[in-house]
Amino acid sequence: MNVQNIMTNLEAKHPGESEYLQAVREVLESIEEVYNQHPEFEKAKIVERLVEPDRIFKFRVVWVDDKGQVQVNLGYRVQYNAALGAYKGGLRFHPKVNESMLKFLGFEQIFKNSLTNLPLGGGKGGSDFDPVGKSDEEIMRFCQAFMYELWRNIGADQDSPAGDVGVGGREIGYLYGAYKKIAREHSTGALTGKSYGWGGSLMRPEATGFGAIYYVVRMLKEKGQDIAGKTIALSGFGNVAWGAATKAVELGAKVVAISGPDGVCEIPGGITKEMIDYMLDMRASNRNKVEDMATKFPGQAKFTAGKKSWSVKCDIACPSAFQNELSEADAKELIANGVQFVAEISNMGCQAEAIHAIQAAGIPFGPGKAVNAGGVATSGLEIAQNAQHYNWTAEEVDQKLHKIMNDIYDMCVQYGKQADGSINYVKGANIAGFMRVANAMLAQGII
Ligand code: GLU
């Protein structure tokens, strides 16, 4: 494989799909050396097959808002690769959703899901529907309209969507209710992130954030350090930041920043349990304003409009909101302020130049597809419980999640260890994830 040739080809075929091209380039650059040691991969054109999704469904979603007006959105499901199992990945509801964004997310999902060692293929979907300012009834009607189209293409052994940005427990509830009604099947594994009591797994809401902190703990341990007493800057205030803050505080760390599209909330004394609980209310309000935290806790949180979390001095920076949210300039500011570790909890949270700057400064960098894999891993555990018609305890799920994250960490070290003893976690995660998929594709023939 020659990465430049493949990229030139893809750029011509998919012009303007910048997120997709960025995600593909990162993976290909990481795996090039290993790939070229395997002529059987080249012969079977594994990379050429991997970069294109198996198929993409694109559909119109029509619904009626609270004023009685008809609204039209676009819906998508990208079924990317099923070498390891049925397609699996979240749904994102955000006005910026387009094919490029969902292709990048679906592509990342293939390798992330592979890292979990569970039988999960890669997929992603969503809509340009904007949940901000929508009533509960509008969200329900949109979810039902979305499922009118999608239901035929999902199922526990076919494709199992879950949440992502803009899609949480409430949305999954409405989506699953609509699915059941249309498909006339109580097939719980067709969606994950369900609530406990009707097929959901305990610990699924916490899983992405908890798993990320388990991974970060290992990154610190590698350097002989402990998370207790460390300051952490998170971005966003959604499900992922909530889970990460909960576990970080439990382990004695201090979360000193969260953020929103409106600006940053600095919390010099560290986030408290009450503030973490309030993050859930902020998300449920659909206002999408982090300023609400400072209004509610005036003495403890200070809001600055237009600033990001990366302007706050911290030991560990964890992007946990959206792709490309941490730029090269942000990375330089973090480095100048003494950051010691960076771990992406959002998918592709850092721009390529930011990763290069962080790595060049000798700062360990954990990539999203490894760090945030605990979410989809616990979705895999939810499907396993659904298939057994059984529920595991929170302790059982957490134990399995912790083991999966430790195994992912070990694989990243195994494939990412450099000649000078340092660990390139990006390379490690990409190679480890790729090898399992490539070998499965080889074994299953030219399809
Ligand atoms: N959206 C999450 C991710 O990026 C979870 C996907 C899932 O649970 O299927 O991995």
Side-chain angles (χ1 to χ4, degrees), residues 99 156 230 354 409:
E99 223 165 283
K230 291 270 189 278
Y409 184 85

Side-chain angles (χ1 to χ4, degrees), residues 88-90 109 112 124 160 162-164 192 204 347 372 375-376 379:
K88 182 82 197 90
Q109 200 82 41
K112 180 195 318 200
K124 203 86 190 189
S160 172
D164 195 83
T192 64
R204 177 63 189 90
N347 290 308
N372 74 27
V376 74
S379 278

Side-chain angles (χ1 to χ4, degrees), residues 245-265:
T246 305
K247 184 49 86 177
V249 169
E250 185 194 313
L251 298 179
K254 218 164 124 179
V255 174
V256 292
I258 57 170
S259 66
D262 51 334
V264 66
C265 253

Side-chain angles (χ1 to χ4, degrees), residues 64-76:
V64 180
D65 69 17
D66 285 348
K67 295 192 194 95
Q69 270 163 15
V70 176
Q71 298 286 342
V72 183
N73 285 99
L74 282 175
Y76 306 83

